[in-house]
Amino acid sequence: LEINTDTTRLSEILTVNKKLVDRVILDFLPVSNSSHEIQSLYEMMRDYPSRGGKGIRGTLCLLWCELFSGTREKALITAAALELFQNWILIHDDIEDQSDLRRGLPSLHKKYGVELSINAGDALHGKMWELLLSNLGVLGAETTLTVLSEFARMLNETTEGQQMELFWTSGNKWNISEEDYMLMVAKKSAWYTCISPTRLGVMLSTTGKMHEKSAPEKMSELLNKLIRFGISFGIAFQIIDDVLNLTADESKYGKEILGDLFEGKRTLMLIHLLNSLGTKQRTEVIEILSRPRKNKTSAEMKSIYELMKSSGSIDYARQIADAHSARAMKLFEETVSEQSDIHPRTYSQTKSLLEYLSSRDH
Amino acid sequence: LEINTDTTRLSEILTVNKKLVDRVILDFLPVSNSSHEIQSLYEMMRDYPSRGGKGIRGTLCLLWCELFSGTREKALITAAALELFQNWILIHDDIEDQSDLRRGLPSLHKKYGVELSINAGDALHGKMWELLLSNLGVLGAETTLTVLSEFARMLNETTEGQQMELFWTSGNKWNISEEDYMLMVAKKSAWYTCISPTRLGVMLSTTGKMHEKSAPEKMSELLNKLIRFGISFGIAFQIIDDVLNLTADESKYGKEILGDLFEGKRTLMLIHLLNSLGTKQRTEVIEILSRPRKNKTSAEMKSIYELMKSSGSIDYARQIADAHSARAMKLFEETVSEQSDIHPRTYSQTKSLLEYLSSRDH
């Protein structure tokens, strides 16, 4: 099988799938209401979904479904609900992390205030479940409920991961082990970015096929393997994302550069840096990072970034990301090799996309 | 049929049903985790559900199920999920309304901070859907999905109502019509306090009964009538709740007395007061209420309360509540009289409880 790693082709895969998913979302979300106030809620709910973003989670779900020779249409509502998940949880995340920018524009609470934005996040969260209920006509009752259960699991994992990270920030805790960091990332990021999109795509590929129904144990084994795949992939993805926050070109980025340092976010680079420094310098760095955002200067953040570079923290993080990416790709190949009905073109697309996402250099 | 309006008996009805529902909730929510941080999330999630509260929504669902000769056990998980709804949305409401007290104790964000509490609300919200999915074993796939759809509708209505109220507060809007106020209360309070608990109880009463399956139109008509019943009941309930906020004895109350005035909450009493005052006094009252909470004094809040009394605003609100309560009870009697298999003891209990809740004097 030929692998095409051309990024133009990759962004096309994302664009095509995102377009399909976006149509489902924007057709589904309410548009207008005779009450001025409720109309304003609808505008808030459509705000993040209208801003773009890569649509990674929805695309992964559609690709895995096709990869296992399923019909893309069967996974479309679920893929759209994955993107709604991302959108409502970002509304709340941006408040929790005090992020001022999202996809190049002011975050929702900067536009409308915290109070209205918490509620709009809840409203969009409700719409995610409502959209998933509309799977009934396409998938039947049993599969609709299976998909809902996966979303419940995904949300449990995500909120537990978010709790770990917020707990460290709010408790001013800096001595995080790499093991704790990996657990946090697996929960906070890997589940909703990769594990559930992948598992859902595979689950939905068998809809209407009789032969899979006879092998529930084989399916259960496969879905467990996809957790291991997704954890490694998700860890690589998140580390790369955090590296980009430090190294990316602001004009292309869309989020605040060095924003993670202003936020005091516990990244693998920071954990490595703190472990590398002597007591005095370590105390100084922690003192700076512990301050509220408004009491931090760009110069201070840049100096910590320079320390990370000179301490080899960024190289270290990239190495760990590479190792996890390699492990994920190995599990991907294993999984594919065990299946008899892999769709060749989708295999090529999925492999390229996974490699790109777990080792992006922009 | 004999009606017993003894409040001791009434609180017993609530206590008995709440105990059943609480057991489902506290058995369902996770207790311990090897991660200290996640353990702390579990404690936050169990906090409001462990604090008490009357359990009105769960009780109404169980009573309506029994009233229509259904089996209480069939409605138990759903009743528990209604209480979880109340609990997670209160976590977010308390942040949005800047309420410092909940059920006599500091509100969750006062104990743990806003960031962790938004996330804990989301986690508990997720648990509500997960609990509802466990209906499958008791109710089968079709009814499980019907219940989920009612929850999605209920959440849409509640977030729209919350948006209306927050929009008025954040926009410093004071010229609210009584019609807008009624729409806000119907959405924000009536749906989750009465309409959905009632409709769900009735829906679940027919589970496993064949005769009802043959009359879906009759059921649909009944469920629509219960919306009208629930709107009137919910409006009466909310007005009484707001009156109690002004007039209740602090030692028995559990929330901040005159808290609604500190919060600048648009109540029917306030709308009536502002319409009763001359321009100068109206401007003064609005100026005081528009200030941030910390710039308001108890003396100022008391003086506005006194103005409400002397302007007849509280009497007016009580009259409107009485009218809605009477309308709700008429619709209740009509609904009951149209059914052939009403459970007599439950009829007596439900009627007493509805009368009490829509005209409480403490």
Side-chain angles (χ1 to χ4, degrees), chain B residues 125-276:
Chain B
H125 182 177
K127 283 288 170 191
M128 175 189 85
W129 295 102
E130 190 183 329
L131 179 58
L132 286 168
L133 288 169
S134 74
N135 263 328
L136 181 60
V138 193
L139 304 177
E142 203 187 316
T143 308
T144 298
L145 287 165
T146 307
V147 169
L148 287 165
S149 293
E150 180 72 13
F151 269 77
R153 168 91 192 256
M154 176 173 74
L155 181 51
N156 287 341
E157 298 286 349
T158 310
T159 49
E160 288 183 6
Q162 178 72 347
Q163 166 84 10
M164 291 181 78
E165 193 171 43
L166 290 172
F167 197 87
W168 298 338
T169 315
S170 68
N172 203 29
K173 197 181 164 191
W174 295 97
N175 59 333
I176 317 289
S177 70
E178 284 196 18
E179 198 186 343
D180 277 351
Y181 170 82
M182 296 297 177
L183 180 64
M184 182 278 285
V185 170
K187 284 179 175 287
K188 188 194 154 153
S189 177
W191 267 90
Y192 91 93
T193 301
C194 181
I195 298 172
S196 288
T198 300
R199 282 161 54 97
L200 287 162
V202 170
M203 283 175 203
L204 294 176
S205 73
T206 66
T207 311
K209 290 189 205 163
M210 273 304 112
H211 69 284
E212 285 292 345
K213 299 258 175 186
S214 58
E217 280 162 35
K218 211 181 138 198
M219 178 54 114
S220 160
E221 200 183 299
L222 170 60
L223 293 176
N224 279 332
K225 187 175 209 160
L226 293 175
I227 296 180
R228 298 200 302 281
F229 154 76
I231 287 176
S232 277
F233 176 86
I235 288 173
F237 177 87
Q238 186 61 52
I239 294 173
I240 298 290
D241 210 55
D242 292 344
V243 168
L244 288 177
N245 185 278
L246 299 172
T247 60
D249 179 347
E250 186 143 25
S251 64
K252 291 184 193 165
Y253 194 52
K255 284 184 269 191
E256 184 186 20
I257 292 292
L258 301 184
D260 287 353
L261 289 175
F262 278 103
E263 206 176 280
K265 186 173 175 182
R266 279 62 169 169
T267 60
L268 189 58
M269 290 79 81
L270 185 59
I271 292 167
H272 181 273
L273 175 67
L274 294 177
N275 287 335
S276 309

Side-chain angles (χ1 to χ4, degrees), chain A residues 129-185:
Chain A
W129 296 102
E130 190 183 330
L131 179 58
L132 286 169
L133 288 169
S134 75
N135 263 327
L136 181 60
V138 193
L139 304 179
E142 203 187 317
T143 308
T144 298
L145 286 165
T146 306
V147 170
L148 288 164
S149 293
E150 181 71 14
F151 269 77
R153 167 91 192 256
M154 175 174 74
L155 180 51
N156 286 341
E157 298 286 348
T158 311
T159 50
E160 289 184 4
Q162 179 71 347
Q163 165 84 11
M164 291 182 78
E165 192 171 45
L166 290 172
F167 197 88
W168 297 337
T169 316
S170 70
N172 202 29
K173 197 182 164 189
W174 296 97
N175 58 334
I176 317 289
S177 70
E178 284 195 20
E179 198 186 344
D180 277 352
Y181 170 81
M182 296 297 178
L183 180 65
M184 182 277 286
V185 170

Side-chain angles (χ1 to χ4, degrees), chain A residues 37 40-42 92 96 98 115-116 118-119 122 125-126 129-130 155-156 159-160 162-163 167-168, chain B residues 37 40-42 92 96 98 115-116 118-119 122 125-126 129-130 155-156 159-160 162-163 167-168:
Chain A
E37 294 87 345
S40 158
L41 172 63
Y42 294 170
H92 285 182
E96 293 160 11
Q98 293 160 43
E115 292 79 5
L116 284 166
I118 295 174
N119 186 58
D122 290 338
H125 182 178
W129 296 102
E130 190 183 330
L155 180 51
N156 286 341
T159 50
E160 289 184 4
Q162 179 71 347
Q163 165 84 11
F167 197 88
W168 297 337
Chain B
E37 294 87 345
S40 158
L41 172 64
Y42 294 169
H92 286 181
E96 292 161 11
Q98 293 158 42
E115 292 80 4
L116 285 166
I118 294 174
N119 185 59
D122 290 338
H125 182 177
W129 295 102
E130 190 183 329
L155 181 51
N156 287 341
T159 49
E160 288 183 6
Q162 178 72 347
Q163 166 84 10
F167 197 87
W168 298 338

Side-chain angles (χ1 to χ4, degrees), chain A residues 112-255:
Chain A
Y112 298 94
V114 167
E115 292 79 5
L116 284 166
S117 299
I118 295 174
N119 186 58
D122 290 338
L124 201 58
H125 182 178
K127 283 289 170 192
M128 176 189 84
W129 296 102
E130 190 183 330
L131 179 58
L132 286 169
L133 288 169
S134 75
N135 263 327
L136 181 60
V138 193
L139 304 179
E142 203 187 317
T143 308
T144 298
L145 286 165
T146 306
V147 170
L148 288 164
S149 293
E150 181 71 14
F151 269 77
R153 167 91 192 256
M154 175 174 74
L155 180 51
N156 286 341
E157 298 286 348
T158 311
T159 50
E160 289 184 4
Q162 179 71 347
Q163 165 84 11
M164 291 182 78
E165 192 171 45
L166 290 172
F167 197 88
W168 297 337
T169 316
S170 70
N172 202 29
K173 197 182 164 189
W174 296 97
N175 58 334
I176 317 289
S177 70
E178 284 195 20
E179 198 186 344
D180 277 352
Y181 170 81
M182 296 297 178
L183 180 65
M184 182 277 286
V185 170
K187 283 178 176 286
K188 189 193 154 152
S189 176
W191 267 90
Y192 92 93
T193 300
C194 182
I195 299 172
S196 288
T198 299
R199 282 160 53 97
L200 288 162
V202 171
M203 283 176 203
L204 295 175
S205 73
T206 67
T207 310
K209 290 189 205 164
M210 273 304 111
H211 69 284
E212 285 292 346
K213 298 258 176 187
S214 57
E217 278 161 35
K218 210 181 139 198
M219 178 54 114
S220 160
E221 200 183 301
L222 170 59
L223 293 176
N224 280 331
K225 186 174 210 161
L226 292 175
I227 295 180
R228 297 199 303 280
F229 155 76
I231 286 176
S232 276
F233 177 85
I235 288 173
F237 177 86
Q238 186 61 53
I239 294 174
I240 298 291
D241 211 56
D242 292 344
V243 168
L244 287 176
N245 185 279
L246 299 172
T247 60
D249 177 350
E250 186 142 27
S251 65
K252 292 184 194 164
Y253 195 52
K255 285 184 270 192

